[in-house]
Each structure stands twice: as structure tokens, then as C-alpha cells.
Amino acid sequence: MPELPEVETVVRELRDGLQGRRIERMEALWSKTFQNINGRDVDGQRVRAIGRKGKYILLYLDDQDMIIHLRMSGQLLFTGARSQAPHKHDRLIFDLEGGERLVFRDARKFGRIYLVNEADSHLAHVGMDALDPRMTPSHFRNLLRQSRQGIKAFLLSQKGISGLGNIYVDEALFLAGIHPLTRCVSIKNPHELRTVILGVLTKAIDNMGSTISDYRNTRGNEGMNQHYFYVYGRQGLPCKKCGAIIVKARMAGRGTHFCPECQPEA
Ligand SMILES: [Zn+2]
């Protein structure tokens, strides 16, 4: 599933290719993908600005907002000319002014696009974005102090802090030397963990995200960050720090990769 770095890569490309342009016509090819909460029409509206909160892409239109969640396999792709027949996995088509076309392609059909009056209030329940400047060391420390969860479950929950999924949680906890089941309140150095999380996400954005299976950027290209993982997908291989064998086990409901030597149980 695309996480913050993959979604941020898409958002940056959308700012180049979509921001300021008018959607001449939108067509939903799979009815469940498009949830029109306010029942209004998209056609003719300009995309004023593009934002992101956690794993959500936000399109601020002239009169309303659009929230896009890629979920498992969703892709936003600029496909060029309108004359082409849609791909069998295209669920939504945006014909843009100037003749270009943007499609929402989603093999597994879990992706959702919501048309709402106001995106930010609609996403008020989602925790602060991990890269939000207001996610200060003291704010992060207070979030951990208030949580009764284990750290992996907390970071996956999207409550308090949003954007991290299974890949980047595993990578960050490895680099911080924290066992995934450690209680949030027991983490001795929240400041260091926050710094590591920022570093992991920033590096992944620099590498245009990670492609495990379905993720592609808006031009159909794969990310590069999967080549630099420390633990994710490396079960059975030696730890890059200490040489111990990386383990995969089910924790917080997910397949979790960690080094038993570098990340001892607290
Ligand atoms: Zn190790």
C-alpha cells in the first residue's frame, strides 16, 4: 500500500501537471470508486491547489474538495491523448483542459475518491501528518506518553500521527533500535525516534518512494527506495548492522520485520 513517501511523490507531480488546470469532464467507470458526498458536479472546475494529509491526496477545486485514497493498488496516471480506449483497470477518468487525460487506475478496486465540501474538516479524525512542522519533539513525546498501545500499533493507527504504514514503521523502528511491541510509554528517547522517522520518510521521498508491487508515479515509473531497505522484506538475510538474521513475525496484526539483536524486547 502506498505510504507517505509514495503519496508525497504523486502529490509533487500533480502540482506540476494538474494544479491550476481545469477538469473539463470527469467520468466514473466503476461506481464504488467515486463517492460523491455532496452530489455536485466536478466538470468545469479548476484545481486550485493540491495537498496531502497522511496517505490522503487532497485536490482543492473551485467550489469543493476532492479526497483521494490510493489504498492497495490505486494509481494516478497521466495517460496523454484522450483518443485511447481506457485500460481495463481504469476506474475514473479526468479529461483536462489542454487535451491531456489523468486516470485513476486501480486493479484491486479498494481505492476511493470522495467529493466533499471541505476536505480538512472531513479528515479531522486523521492524526497530524508525520512531516507537519507542528509535529515538534515535545508534541511527539506527548503523543507517546498518552498512548497505551505498543509503538508499532500506534504508528500504524494513523491516530496522533499519520502517513506511516508497514514498510516505514519497520524501517524506522529498526534504525531507532526499538522492538515493535515496546509500549509507547516505555520508549526512552522519543526525540531520537522522531528524528529517525523524519529521516526515513525524507530519504524515501528523495528516492521517489518504494515499489513493492503496484506503486507507480504519475508517469508510470517505479520508485527506487525498495533497494535501500534494512529490514522490510529481508527476513532470513543478515542484518546490515550486526549480521544477525532478520526475522519476520506477526505483530500488531501485520507481518513485521526486525532484527532480534538490534531491537531487543524491552
Ligand atoms: Zn542487527
Side-chain angles (χ1 to χ4, degrees):
M1 180 191 277
E3 304 179 24
L4 186 154
E6 292 76 44
V7 177
E8 177 64 18
T9 301
V10 169
V11 161
R12 290 180 182 190
E13 293 174 351
L14 291 177
R15 287 198 180 110
D16 279 343
L18 183 64
Q19 189 161 289
R21 294 176 75 179
R22 204 170 295 280
I23 299 169
E24 285 185 349
R25 181 179 152 277
M26 192 205 80
E27 184 183 358
L29 301 175
W30 173 253
S31 62
K32 285 184 183 167
T33 300
F34 185 58
Q35 313 272 318
N36 193 342
I37 309 288
N38 62 19
R40 284 150 70 188
D41 200 356
V42 174
D43 295 1
Q45 291 199 56
R46 197 171 49 93
V47 182
R48 291 183 293 114
I50 297 168
R52 183 186 57 73
K53 184 176 188 185
K55 303 173 194 171
Y56 293 92
I57 298 167
L58 315 176
L59 305 186
Y60 299 96
L61 309 180
D62 281 333
D63 299 331
Q64 54 214 315
D65 298 339
M66 197 175 277
I67 301 171
I68 303 174
H69 198 333
L70 304 173
R71 294 274 183 86
M72 300 297 289
S73 61
Q75 304 169 346
L76 285 164
L77 296 166
F78 288 104
T79 59
R82 297 179 188 182
S83 51
Q84 294 172 7
H87 184 278
K88 66 174 177 174
H89 294 150
D90 288 350
R91 308 301 175 196
L92 206 75
I93 290 174
F94 298 100
D95 283 331
L96 306 174
E97 66 176 337
E100 202 169 17
R101 174 171 275 186
L102 177 71
V103 304
F104 184 71
R105 188 167 295 174
D106 187 13
R108 300 180 64 176
K109 298 185 185 172
F110 292 115
R112 291 291 178 267
I113 298 182
Y114 304 90
L115 191 65
V116 300
N117 287 324
E118 217 266 307
D120 296 294
S121 59
H122 209 81
L123 294 178
H125 66 285
V126 176
M128 185 184 289
D129 189 83
L131 296 183
D132 192 312
R134 293 170 295 173
M135 185 62 73
T136 59
S138 63
H139 184 75
F140 185 70
R141 188 183 65 233
N142 288 337
L143 287 177
L144 295 190
R145 279 185 184 160
Q146 290 160 12
S147 174
R148 305 168 72 105
Q149 290 180 290
I151 186 62
K152 173 148 187 175
F154 170 73
L155 292 173
L156 288 176
S157 73
Q158 311 302 301
K159 299 193 175 97
I161 180 170
S162 67
L164 291 107
N166 206 34
I167 294 174
Y168 298 105
V169 169
D170 282 2
E171 290 293 300
L173 292 179
F174 169 77
L175 287 170
I178 296 172
H179 190 278
L181 295 178
T182 308
R183 295 262 146 212
C184 290
V185 290
S186 305
I187 287 177
K188 296 185 183 72
N189 195 339
H191 177 62
E192 187 195 342
L193 175 58
R194 175 187 163 275
T195 304
V196 167
I197 287 172
L198 294 181
V200 165
L201 296 175
T202 305
K203 187 186 94 174
I205 293 169
D206 289 345
N207 288 325
M208 314 288 282
S210 304
T211 297
I212 307 301
S213 55
D214 293 306
Y215 169 70
R216 300 289 186 278
N217 70 11
T218 63
R219 302 293 171 184
N221 298 316
E222 295 188 359
M224 295 290 291
N225 195 62
Q226 67 277 10
H227 300 302
Y228 305 100
F229 289 156
Y230 286 93
V231 289
Y232 188 86
R234 295 195 68 250
Q235 61 272 20
L237 296 172
C239 172
K240 292 182 180 180
K241 276 190 190 173
C242 77
I245 298 301
I246 300 298
V247 171
K248 181 177 182 183
R250 199 159 180 86
M251 293 177 186
R254 303 294 300 274
T256 296
H257 312 77
F258 68 104
C259 173
E261 294 296 324
C262 296
Q263 298 166 265
E265 277 193 69

